[in-house]
Amino acid sequence: MAHTYATDVLVVGAGPVGLTTAAELRRRQVSCRIVDRLPARLPFAKAVGIQPRTLEIWDRMGLVRAAMDAAVPMRGQLTYVDGAEQPRIDLALPPEVPYGFAALPQYETERILEEFLTRYGTRIERGTELVSFAQDADGVTSRLRTPSGAEEELRTRFLVGCDGAHSLVRKGLGLSFEGGAFPEEYMLADVEVDWDLPPGYGVRAMHRDGDGAVDDLLVCIPLPGSGRYRMSMLVPPELSTARQAEAAGASDGVAHGLEGGRAPGLSDIQAVLDRLSPQQTTASAIRWASVFRISHRLVDRYGEGRVFVAGDAAHIHPPTGAQGMNTGIQDAWNLAWKLALAVEGAAHPGLLASYDAERRPVGEEVVGRTVRHATEGVQADPADPATLMLREAQLLVSYRGSPLADPPGDGPGPRPGDRAPDCGGLTGPIAAYPLRLYDLLRDRGHILLLFGSGHGNGNGHGLELAEAARESSGGRVETCVVLEADAPAGATLLPVYRDSRGEFARLYAVEQPTAFVIRPDGHLGARLCPPDPKQLAAHLAATFAATHGAAADLD
């Protein structure tokens, strides 16, 4: 039966995850609509931490400059226990990591992503709600309720639910969402204070009872503006909404997010500061405040057929370490490039199944780790400080064992499935300044990166490898060469750069000719040493369809 598709993908939910999904799809020339039941962007600084890995993603997309202009740096954390200052935590990363930690109110993150999306002619359809959906072998039929109350039927190839902890898409798929809720309730507030603590540092102040348990807590994250912080603290009994929520009975039993009831006032915030602030200070200029609750849950699978979930629709957990929104953005990016190939008819039949295979283990690890950190403290983590910092920055997320990654093998340096590290000191024949590797990757899809002498020569092995990549992907893999600083270049029939400072060779641990396949999401798919065209073609066959033009079948 033939079907006419009004658009390729419907994205439900216009938070950071939904906007990332839509923006990456449109950047890859996939038609989509994005709907959100809310009439306007909420002015709440909920998720505020921006991880270095998210900034790398935004660099690849081409919007990192706007984010850096709006954000403030997160330099570390000051910790106080029963009024006594603890050792300062500095958020230091290796010099080859291109971005540090940052803080940005969620509504600003959404603004930046929305403005980026409008460049491609796509706008959020606000006040529009998904009512129901049904899928078949060829597509998804969704019913939408528009701001006027009228209902619309929409036919798409795929549906992506980025609609939060109470996701209708998740419920419609019948996905389980196992976990539980924390008994504590918290206040959130966006305020200004007049202390003179070091700028750029978060503040965590705790009081312990006679048994050593934390019975009072204040956590402050710096925001753009003079003395401005997003603060969270335990809720006093008079502001508790737990009994209200239990009496009302949550429709899905998921106690997570902002609650109704009386919002905290400036006096409630000041009372906590009077007890726990490391310096005497006065709170002012409150922008908003609310009570919120925390649950920890994970879906049993990230999608089924032509319908997928991402972000809070798939995983919720404590906000420890600012992992939630950033993990959701990586969900979106992982899924979007795969959907784009599927829409083109260029995807291997199992490509979309790799979304669950790669991202659900990440969600499981993040939920487990944030729950441990929330209950036992980050200091109880057995990892060494350098590893802990890289993991919190989300730079250690790996897809080793993925159906899209070759066996990792042995040896130093990044292996298939790992994040492709950045490096500097790459020089070309035209630019008078050195480039970073991420400059070469920006705004591109799959890249075949050839390291070693001979690849730049017109009669060399490099052209054979480039041709194998082109044929195996239908022309969707670009090739470039990195030569040792003193290697002869020969004829430059492929783009050639020199590793003038030896950073690429050191960070990738290569001493002989090697071929790397770097995926659109910045992870290595293959590391071939020695490079072999047949092995390269076999690797790419797990991603790309053997023939092009017809819509890809689904597992």
Side-chain angles (χ1 to χ4, degrees), residues 46-341:
K46 295 188 294 182
V48 297
I50 307 295
Q51 301 295 354
R53 182 60 180 148
T54 296
L55 293 170
E56 291 181 355
I57 289 172
W58 289 345
D59 184 331
R60 193 80 180 259
M61 293 175 68
L63 58 85
V64 72
R65 182 184 302 171
M68 290 193 297
D69 286 348
V72 293
M74 273 290 296
R75 298 187 171 93
Q77 179 176 284
L78 308 174
T79 304
Y80 302 84
V81 178
D82 297 334
E85 186 172 3
Q86 307 300 303
R88 178 181 299 190
I89 298 173
D90 289 306
L91 300 178
L93 293 168
E96 64 269 14
V97 177
Y99 300 104
F101 297 82
L104 186 66
Q106 182 172 327
Y107 59 83
E108 279 289 273
T109 297
E110 293 174 1
R111 176 189 62 80
I112 291 165
L113 287 166
E114 183 177 353
E115 290 177 356
F116 183 78
L117 178 61
T118 59
R119 298 183 196 174
Y120 299 94
T122 299
R123 297 185 179 277
I124 300 169
E125 297 175 45
R126 297 198 178 275
T128 301
E129 184 175 6
L130 177 69
V131 176
S132 64
F133 66 90
Q135 65 171 314
D136 52 50
D138 300 313
V140 185
T141 301
S142 301
R143 294 196 68 81
L144 302 174
R145 182 177 295 118
T146 65
S148 68
E151 289 197 357
E152 171 193 356
E153 187 174 279
L154 175 67
R155 182 74 175 170
T156 60
R157 298 180 189 274
F158 300 99
L159 169 65
V160 184
C162 307
D163 47 343
H166 306 282
S167 169
L168 187 146
V169 175
R170 182 186 67 240
K171 297 170 191 173
L173 278 180
L175 306 182
S176 69
F177 203 38
E178 298 299 324
F182 286 86
E184 298 87 358
E185 293 177 274
Y186 296 86
M187 295 188 293
L188 276 183
D190 179 351
V191 300
E192 293 178 11
V193 288
D194 56 359
W195 60 35
D196 60 0
L197 295 175
Y201 280 82
V203 176
R204 183 181 182 87
M206 299 173 287
H207 180 270
R208 297 188 183 276
D209 63 18
D211 296 324
V214 175
D215 61 1
D216 209 357
L217 177 68
L218 170 68
V219 177
C220 309
I221 305 298
L223 295 176
S226 178
R228 185 180 171 197
Y229 290 81
R230 199 286 312 276
M231 296 187 177
S232 59
M233 55 212 77
L234 295 175
V235 167
E238 63 271 19
L239 288 177
S240 174
T241 63
R243 291 180 181 175
Q244 281 180 267
E246 290 168 7
S251 60
D252 56 7
V254 178
H256 189 84
L258 302 181
E259 299 282 342
R262 185 168 76 84
L266 204 54
S267 61
D268 300 303
I269 309 305
Q270 186 64 52
V272 179
L273 289 170
D274 290 343
R275 295 195 306 269
L276 293 177
S277 174
Q279 292 182 3
Q280 185 175 353
T281 190
T282 300
S284 63
I286 187 168
R287 289 168 174 79
W288 70 273
S290 184
V291 172
F292 76 104
R293 299 186 69 188
I294 298 170
S295 289
H296 52 93
R297 294 178 181 268
L298 179 71
V299 291
D300 58 331
R301 57 198 187 279
Y302 273 36
E304 184 175 295
R306 293 177 173 271
V307 183
F308 305 88
V309 291
D312 283 0
H315 47 78
I316 54 176
H317 44 81
T320 313
Q323 300 294 293
M325 180 187 70
N326 294 273
T327 299
I329 287 172
Q330 290 188 52
D331 291 343
W333 211 36
N334 182 290
L335 177 60
W337 71 262
K338 296 171 182 178
L339 281 177
L341 287 177

Side-chain angles (χ1 to χ4, degrees), residues 47 82 87 90 152 228 268 311 375 420 450 484 498 532 545 548:
D82 297 334
D90 289 306
E152 171 193 356
R228 185 180 171 197
D268 300 303
T375 55
L450 305 176
E484 301 96 325
R498 291 188 178 278
D532 179 80
H548 308 290

